[in-house]
Amino acid sequence: MWLANAGVALPVYNVEEPKVPLKLAELRNLFKLFQSDVGLLSCQFDSTIQLQILNDENNINFGSVYENIAAQELLTHGYDLYYFNSKKQGELDFLLEENSTVIPVEIKSGKEYDRHNALNLLGLKAWARN
């Protein structure tokens, strides 16, 4: 938590189920950490990947970078960050709560951006954008 308090990391807590209120389903001992800055994240990559990013090469998986950007933007817009992960149902990258509704956010990169197994298994609607 000292990384979050120092402004270096963004904690995203797991919830037991994707239902409102998300705060009551929060598992404080299970979380993901995102970097508070995509530049900090990219500095942790191998230098060859950094060059691929700078050269605008599209053959690398940008999933982790896109997820980090989404975490930064969602937090900046005032959302509390949660995610869901179940062996049976799969993982949802982010869950937001707005007007007593849970909004799933799934970040995809690559050719299979329209596959959302966890959304389908949980009966949640997906809006795919490429």
Side-chain angles (χ1 to χ4, degrees):
M1 291 316 306
W2 63 270
L3 289 172
N5 291 336
V8 176
L10 309 173
V12 178
Y13 291 98
N14 191 15
V15 293
E16 293 178 284
E17 59 182 329
K19 294 187 179 177
V20 290
L22 291 170
K23 184 73 173 167
L24 290 180
E26 178 182 286
L27 299 170
R28 294 291 295 174
N29 62 340
L30 190 57
F31 56 91
K32 298 190 288 188
L33 284 177
F34 290 94
Q35 295 282 340
S36 61
D37 184 281
V38 175
L40 291 174
L41 175 66
S42 63
C43 285
Q44 294 176 344
F45 295 150
D46 180 82
S47 61
T48 58
I49 294 175
Q50 293 172 7
L51 288 173
Q52 288 176 311
I53 292 171
L54 291 173
N55 291 329
D56 201 25
E57 293 182 28
N58 60 4
N59 60 344
I60 54 178
N61 185 344
F62 285 106
S64 63
V65 175
Y66 293 159
E67 278 188 46
N68 206 100
I69 292 168
Q72 287 176 248
E73 284 294 318
L74 293 169
L75 189 66
T76 299
H77 285 86
Y79 289 101
D80 292 327
L81 302 178
Y82 299 98
Y83 77 100
F84 175 75
N85 193 7
S86 163
K87 289 181 182 177
K88 282 183 177 180
Q89 297 161 314
E91 181 179 1
L92 295 173
D93 294 328
F94 298 100
L95 295 174
L96 310 177
E97 186 174 337
E98 190 169 281
N99 300 325
S100 298
T101 302
V102 173
I103 302 168
V105 177
E106 185 67 20
I107 309 300
K108 293 289 188 183
S109 173
K111 296 175 185 172
E112 297 183 2
Y113 68 89
D114 58 347
R115 289 188 60 214
H116 304 284
N117 294 338
L119 290 171
N120 296 338
L121 288 171
L122 289 163
L124 301 169
K125 185 170 177 144
W127 292 275
R129 276 190 109 177
N130 57 7

